[in-house]
């Protein structure tokens, strides 16, 4: 579904993403891990058109994503959630999701259809009943579910999730992990998921890609990654430095 080849992103002299190849299959949940500053968010930004790569290509169902604007990428079927929660706190829960439902879809949807999709996404993540609440009054965990609802309301083929577990209790992390897994199982959405919380990512991913200093150092099943020497070294390096 998505095949990236030799993706490289430089910021001045810094090579944030360095010649990375990877793929995401249909209905696959792929984890993206690596120490702080490894280039994970930057890799997402190259996919979504926020920071187009200096080199490389990103093929999505036969179409080149490099050169597309963030809006065009979203309309092509790639949604994302952000590392820092970006809810409009003064707007209602429903209004927040409506922006995703209106702007993320490829075909222009009527306001009624957008509202149906927004309500459906809210129900899917378990926030039905809270439609009229101010988004700012939600708990952190619910705001993260709201971010997922925003992305899912666009009915994407692929959703990029950036560190959604940070700051949540183990139970809340379980709940958000289940929402992500259900998005794949029940809606057929592929997921590319950046997460520092290993238990969460190990429990549901089909495959995990590991970045270190911009380079891909491993790509395999959770079991393979757990016992991978280079991965252990990269994380030890982080602790020591
Ligand atoms: N817009 C930017 N301008 C300049 N440098 C940047 C920019 N965005 C990221 N970088 C640098 O690129 C490198 C990779 O950053 P990135 O945010 O992709 O890491 P990350 O793996 O997502 O880390 P974290 O786990 O802390 O979120 C870092 O050295 C960072 O300082
Ligand atoms: Mg990041």
């Amino acid at each position: 579904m998505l095949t990236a080849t030799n993706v490289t992103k430089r910021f001045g002299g810094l090579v944030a993403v360095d010649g990375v190849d990877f793929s995401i299959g249909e209905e696959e949940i792929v984890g993206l891990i690596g120490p702080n500053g490894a280039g994970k968010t930057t890799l997402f930004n190259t996919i979504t058109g926020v920071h187009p790569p200096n080199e490389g290509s990103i093929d999505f169902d036969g179409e080149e994503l490099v050169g597309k604007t963030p809006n065009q990428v979203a309309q092509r079927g790639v949604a994302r959630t952000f590392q820092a929660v970006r809810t409009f706190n003064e707007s209602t829960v429903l209004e927040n999701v409506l922006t995703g439902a209106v702007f993320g879809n490829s075909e222009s949807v009527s306001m009624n259809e957008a509202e149906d999709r927004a309500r459906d996404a809210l129900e899917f993540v378990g926030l039905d009943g809270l439609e009229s609440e101010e988004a700012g009054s939600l708990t952190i965990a619910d705001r993260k579910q709201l971010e997922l609802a925003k992305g899912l309301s666009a009915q994407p083929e692929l959703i990029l999730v950036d560190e959604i577990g940070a700051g949540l209790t183990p139970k809340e992390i379980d709940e958000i992990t289940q929402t992500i897994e259900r998005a794949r199982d029940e809606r057929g959405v592929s997921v590319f998921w950046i997460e520092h919380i290993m238990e969460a990512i190990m429990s549901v991913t089909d495959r995990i890609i590991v970045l270190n200093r911009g380079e891909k150092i491993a790509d395999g099943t959770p079991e393979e990654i757990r016992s991978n020497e280079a991965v252990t070294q990269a994380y030890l390096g982080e602790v020591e430095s």
Side-chain angles (χ1 to χ4, degrees):
M1 152 184 258
L2 184 140
T3 307
T5 314
N6 188 34
V7 173
T8 298
K9 177 65 195 174
R10 300 185 197 93
F11 293 113
L14 174 83
V15 190
V17 175
D18 193 357
V20 171
D21 296 333
F22 69 94
S23 66
I24 313 276
E26 303 268 348
E27 300 191 19
E28 203 177 16
I29 302 181
V30 179
L32 179 59
I33 66 171
N36 291 116
K40 304 180 296 295
T41 299
T42 303
L43 188 62
F44 272 19
N45 286 336
T46 65
I47 298 169
T48 54
V50 173
H51 288 139
N54 302 94
E55 287 166 42
S57 98
I58 303 172
D59 177 289
F60 185 67
D61 284 344
E63 230 180 296
E64 179 59 62
L65 292 187
V66 175
K68 289 197 182 344
T69 64
N71 247 331
Q72 290 169 330
V73 174
Q75 290 176 350
R76 187 58 198 74
V78 182
R80 83 178 293 183
T81 72
F82 291 90
Q83 188 163 354
V85 170
R86 291 194 179 185
T87 38
F88 299 106
N89 286 337
E90 268 92 77
S91 303
T92 67
V93 166
L94 180 64
E95 284 161 354
N96 266 276
V97 181
L98 267 174
T99 59
V102 171
F103 297 112
N105 280 284
S106 49
E107 77 273 45
S108 67
V109 291
S110 69
M111 213 47 204
N112 277 341
E113 176 62 22
E115 188 170 330
D116 284 350
R117 291 184 186 190
R119 287 184 185 280
D120 170 71
L122 283 169
E123 190 180 341
F124 186 79
V125 304
L127 291 182
D128 45 319
L130 298 177
E131 289 86 352
S132 313
E133 300 291 319
E134 271 189 14
S137 74
L138 297 183
T139 64
I140 297 173
D142 281 350
R143 260 182 280 177
K144 302 234 170 169
Q145 297 277 13
L146 179 61
E147 287 293 300
L148 278 181
K150 246 198 252 181
L152 292 173
S153 69
Q155 304 190 338
E157 291 170 57
L158 170 66
I159 187 164
L160 310 179
V161 178
D162 196 347
E163 282 197 46
I164 200 150
L168 302 186
T169 67
K171 179 166 172 283
E172 291 165 342
I173 291 166
D174 263 2
E175 284 163 359
I176 210 114
T177 303
Q178 280 170 30
T179 305
I180 289 171
E181 195 171 26
R182 283 175 44 241
R184 189 271 302 278
D185 293 347
E186 296 171 22
R187 305 256 157 131
V189 180
S190 300
V191 182
F192 198 17
W193 182 8
I194 297 175
E195 193 57 74
H196 281 292
I197 299 161
M198 291 299 161
E199 304 84 69
I201 205 123
M202 290 277 171
S203 68
V204 291
T205 49
D206 301 296
R207 203 150 52 75
I208 295 175
I209 292 168
V210 189
L211 287 186
N212 188 35
R213 297 168 196 231
E215 290 180 35
K216 186 173 96 168
I217 58 166
D219 187 337
T221 64
E223 295 71 41
E224 287 165 349
I225 295 306
R226 223 188 279 272
S227 56
N228 184 296
E229 186 67 19
V231 176
T232 314
Q233 284 304 322
Y235 278 96
L236 284 178
E238 188 191 32
V239 172
E240 282 163 7
S241 63

